[in-house]
């Protein structure tokens, strides 16, 4: 379980807005197509998509489709960056991605719902692989702390509980005092 520092927060979901702030456009799939690798590939090709965002389970299905028909890779020639979040990303998935997309950026994002989705990032583009994929460094305006059971700050490299602070953090669960007290602690 994770705990979160209780601070003032502003809510935003960058996945809905970042493209507009960068002068880009967004391509939305038709209902149900998000589970169809061929529909995704066709949309990427038709709209010259350069950035994608997957959960690892769908990335796996997507990679399987490409591995079974590598000719589809041509349709993905414009893709330059892939974000992954929402589930644990495996070393196997990263290795398979790198085999197919050897010169493309892959970024692992981590963060629970209470932090407006993403709190950390780890760029896997040029990293050598480890036994597991790190959650990385805090995004802008987020702080990551590792605490012991007594809520004392631990040194770098120590094992403990991840606590997240920053402007993207929710204040509480509305009308859920017990859950709020379980998940949130004051940032002192």
């Amino acid at each position: 379980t994770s705990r979160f520092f209780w601070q003032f927060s502003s809510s935003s979901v960058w996945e809905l807005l970042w493209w507009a702030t960068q002068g880009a456009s967004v391509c939305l799939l038709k209902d149900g197509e998000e589970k169809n690798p061929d529909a995704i590939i066709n949309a990427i090709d038709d709209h010259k998509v350069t950035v994608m965002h997957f959960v690892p389970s769908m990335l796996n299905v997507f990679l399987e489709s490409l591995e079974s028909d590598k000719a589809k890779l041509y349709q993905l020639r414009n893709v330059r960056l892939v974000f992954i979040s929402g589930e644990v990303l495996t070393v196997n998935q990263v290795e398979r991605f790198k085999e197919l997309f050897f010169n493309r950026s892959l970024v692992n994002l981590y963060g629970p719902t209470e932090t407006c989705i993403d709190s950390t990032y780890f760029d896997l583009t040029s990293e050598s692989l480890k036994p597991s994929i790190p959650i990385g460094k805090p995004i802008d305006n987020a702080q990551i702390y590792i605490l012991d059971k007594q809520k004392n700050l631990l040194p770098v490299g120590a094992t403990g509980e991840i606590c997240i602070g920053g402007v993207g953090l929710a204040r509480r669960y509305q009308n859920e005092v017990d859950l709020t007290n379980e998940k949130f602690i004051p940032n002192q």
Side-chain angles (χ1 to χ4, degrees):
T1 64
S2 297
R3 287 184 180 260
F4 311 95
F5 287 117
W6 178 36
Q7 294 181 328
F8 175 76
S9 67
S10 63
S11 61
S12 65
V13 180
W14 75 268
E15 290 96 338
L16 295 175
L17 302 174
W18 74 268
W19 56 272
T21 67
Q22 301 303 308
S25 58
V26 66
C27 174
L28 300 175
L29 298 167
K30 293 179 184 170
D31 195 29
E33 288 185 347
E34 72 279 359
K35 297 176 184 172
N36 180 340
D38 288 331
I40 295 169
I41 291 167
N42 289 334
I44 291 167
D45 189 28
D46 291 346
H47 299 284
K48 297 178 176 53
V49 171
T50 58
V51 179
M52 299 185 300
H53 195 157
F54 282 107
V55 294
S57 54
M58 190 57 215
L59 175 68
N60 204 52
V61 173
F62 189 74
L63 293 173
E64 286 172 0
S65 176
L66 294 172
E67 289 164 339
S68 70
D69 184 359
K70 292 192 177 165
K72 295 175 186 176
L73 285 168
Y74 180 76
Q75 292 178 273
L76 307 175
R77 64 193 174 281
N78 293 308
V79 173
R80 59 180 175 76
L81 172 61
V82 177
F83 289 109
I84 303 294
S85 66
E87 302 166 354
V88 174
L89 180 64
T90 68
V91 171
N92 176 266
Q93 289 170 318
V94 174
E95 289 171 343
R96 291 166 56 213
F97 177 90
K98 286 183 173 190
E99 284 179 28
L100 295 167
F101 295 95
F102 60 91
N103 63 345
R104 315 293 171 70
S105 295
L106 179 65
V107 177
N108 187 39
L109 302 171
Y110 165 79
T113 302
E114 293 87 353
T115 62
C116 298
I117 311 304
D118 299 319
S119 301
T120 66
Y121 71 96
F122 188 77
D123 188 342
L124 292 151
T125 306
S126 60
E127 291 292 326
S128 59
L129 299 176
K130 302 169 170 96
S132 62
I133 306 301
I135 63 169
K137 298 177 181 183
I139 63 170
D140 289 345
N141 298 316
Q143 297 85 43
I144 303 296
Y145 305 95
I146 307 300
L147 304 182
D148 65 17
K149 291 182 181 187
Q150 290 75 38
K151 297 183 179 92
N152 297 310
L153 189 60
L154 292 170
V156 173
T159 301
E161 184 175 33
I162 296 172
C163 292
I164 303 169
V167 298
L169 182 65
R171 293 183 191 184
R172 66 186 166 279
Y173 288 98
Q174 187 170 349
N175 302 321
E176 297 282 343
V177 174
D178 291 340
L179 188 57
T180 296
N181 291 337
E182 176 188 334
K183 296 288 185 179
F184 294 82
I185 60 174
N187 186 0
Q188 302 172 354

